Amino acid sequence: MAAPLSVQVEFGGGAELLFDGVKKHQVTLPGQEEPWDIRNLLVWIKKNLLKERPELFIRGDSVRPGILVLINDADWELLEAGWGQAAPGRQDGSPLLPPFLLEVLGPQCLQQLALGK
Amino acid sequence: MPAPRCASCHKARAALRRPRSGQALCTTCFCAAFEAEVLHTVVAGRLLPPGAVVAVGASGGKDSTVLAHVLRELAPRLGISLHLVAVDEGIGGYRDAALAAVRRQAARWELPLTVVAYAELFGGWTMDAVARSTAGSGRSRSCCTFCGVLRRRALEEGARRVGATHVVTGHNADDMAETVLMNFLRGDAGRLARGGGLGSPGEGGALPRCRPLQLASQKEVVLYAHFRRLDYFSEECVYAPEAFRGHARDLLKLLEAARPSAVLDLVHSAERLALAPAARPPPPGACSRCGALASRALCQACALLEGLNRGRPRLAIGKGRRGLDEEGSPREPQPSGPPTSEPIPGF
């Protein structure tokens, strides 16, 4: 059983284009049965924040290759448990503590397909 | 599940794992390593000698922003001076916002900025006009073919105007690897041969050109810009197509997920390629119109502009370029297979 969780989500590097150009979102995730982790957080983002072209954000079970995800300013790939298992905020082994910042960077391809550097 | 400590300073918490080595580094050590590697690329390749006046192709995007920022940090050590050159392709709305970002950067970094416009250089042909001209041809992405070629020419011209001795662009390892893949998939031996190596020495009177970020993976460029809180512009070009490069990029990303060093390995492989004698392109000559390097009578830029001015914009697109007879009257172009309408990188 997971209590409601307050999360700040920021999009940059082109990702904001998929979210109506809005870069910063302060969201409160509702309480639910399963604990909140990255996988269901991203699904929630796709359902509730994403405005267009989901295929540019999510591919299968994960983000589209080329998109970078940072949790509290660190690459999510660093978290030992990795995708689908890491719980937000649990980087030091301590309980979930706000503020929790999720940043999504890219997909750069939107810009790069065009005119280059 | 704690994040590991930085493998370099052992003090701060690590922020990322470097794709090539798998080493976990904090933001400070990563940024220092990134800058040191760019320095090494430039010094080891003797790309920018002391006294060089360097024209930096500045689009306002993340790569050229990182390039300019790092070169500015390294400039005193390298003994070079920098000049930002921005190209205005004449795309309403999009380019204005990008140029605004470049102007902010020039002011913040106190670097001189020169803007070169397609309209001025190419007889009034802005990308908006080119897009209208090519629109009727039924394949919208052919306008990107023009832009890549013309932008390279415009950058060259801007560099000359500021008295530059060298031109640098922000292409990163991912760009290079994508281009290698694309050239393989298209069977373009000529481009494969020319594309390897760290820089173009500047044949045919062109300024020497190099890509100091060539060995930096795109992910690291994005993270460097993020950790340094650099102000750059990321928006979709209105003409951004579903180009072939996108497929090459998707393939590359999948490969990278399986083997993180794949991107750089691809770039290094291309550098070491030797073409079979039958595949080697003939030595290029000079364009009969402008004198630039050309493998045919007209260089690509002049050929494309010729097509535009004759009202037949598709004339110079495609492998054969038949029908572009510069002394005779225009013949009907033979169908020469699918036109190469992907955006051509400024190699």
Side-chain angles (χ1 to χ4, degrees), chain B residues 47-230:
Chain B
L47 301 179
L48 304 173
V53 177
V54 181
V56 181
S59 68
K62 69 175 194 326
D63 295 291
S64 61
T65 299
V66 167
L67 174 67
H69 175 89
V70 173
L71 283 183
R72 184 173 169 274
E73 300 282 315
L74 299 177
R77 229 175 311 181
L78 292 170
I80 60 175
S81 60
L82 300 178
H83 202 119
L84 297 179
V85 176
V87 175
D88 179 1
E89 301 97 341
I91 300 176
Y94 169 77
R95 188 41 77 187
D96 306 319
L99 282 178
V102 181
R103 291 199 168 95
R104 286 196 302 272
Q105 291 168 358
R108 187 175 313 120
W109 292 330
E110 293 172 327
L111 287 177
L113 166 64
T114 298
V115 180
V116 188
Y118 276 16
E120 177 223 334
L121 279 186
F122 304 125
W125 282 108
T126 61
M127 275 314 295
D128 285 339
V130 172
R132 281 192 295 273
S133 176
T134 56
S137 64
R139 293 187 74 160
S140 61
R141 59 200 214 221
S142 56
C143 69
C144 294
T145 304
F146 286 83
C147 203
V149 173
L150 297 180
R151 186 179 354 114
R152 187 192 169 123
R153 181 57 57 86
L155 182 56
E156 178 86 18
E157 176 59 28
R160 285 192 190 288
R161 285 186 187 176
V162 306
T165 56
H166 295 73
V167 176
V168 296
T169 53
H171 294 88
N172 58 49
D174 292 53
D175 299 321
M176 309 289 291
E178 285 160 21
T179 302
V180 170
L181 274 181
M182 284 167 63
N183 290 337
F184 263 115
L185 293 167
R186 291 191 295 208
D188 196 331
R191 289 212 174 98
L192 274 174
R194 289 194 300 275
L198 272 175
S200 319
E203 307 145 327
L207 288 172
R209 196 177 268 254
C210 66
R211 302 163 289 256
L213 299 183
Q214 176 167 322
L215 300 178
S217 69
Q218 174 171 278
K219 172 170 176 173
E220 300 198 309
V221 173
V222 175
L223 287 176
Y224 181 88
H226 180 75
F227 293 142
R228 287 282 195 233
R229 310 282 179 236
L230 298 181

Side-chain angles (χ1 to χ4, degrees), chain B residues 329-344:
Chain B
S329 53
R331 284 169 281 146
E332 276 310 303
Q334 310 298 319
S336 52
T340 51
S341 48
E342 306 78 13
I344 295 177

Side-chain angles (χ1 to χ4, degrees), chain A residues 10 12-17 23 52-53 59 64-68 70-82 85-87 90-93 103 105-106 108-117, chain B residues 1-4 13-17 24 57-59 61-64 89 91 94-95 147 151 170-172 175 218-219 222-223 226-227 229 232-237 240-242 245-246 249-250 253 343:
Chain A
E10 289 186 15
E16 67 275 22
L17 297 177
K23 288 192 173 180
E52 57 180 292
R53 296 165 87 180
R59 182 170 294 176
R64 183 184 176 187
I67 293 190
L68 309 181
L70 299 171
I71 299 174
N72 292 340
D73 231 23
D75 186 354
W76 72 337
E77 285 176 3
L78 257 189
L79 299 178
E80 242 180 281
Q85 293 157 43
R90 283 198 188 278
Q91 275 182 281
D92 326 327
E103 290 166 293
L105 302 178
Q108 298 300 321
C109 65
L110 285 181
Q111 170 206 3
Q112 293 212 338
L113 277 178
L115 304 185
K117 326 286 165 269
Chain B
M1 36 189 126
R13 186 171 57 82
L16 80 161
R17 208 175 276 286
S59 68
K62 69 175 194 326
D63 295 291
S64 61
E89 301 97 341
I91 300 176
Y94 169 77
R95 188 41 77 187
C147 203
R151 186 179 354 114
H171 294 88
N172 58 49
D175 299 321
Q218 174 171 278
K219 172 170 176 173
V222 175
L223 287 176
H226 180 75
F227 293 142
R229 310 282 179 236
Y232 63 89
F233 174 76
S234 50
E235 258 222 28
E236 192 172 18
C237 172
E242 297 291 324
R245 180 173 282 269
R249 173 170 295 126
D250 286 348
K253 287 293 142 197

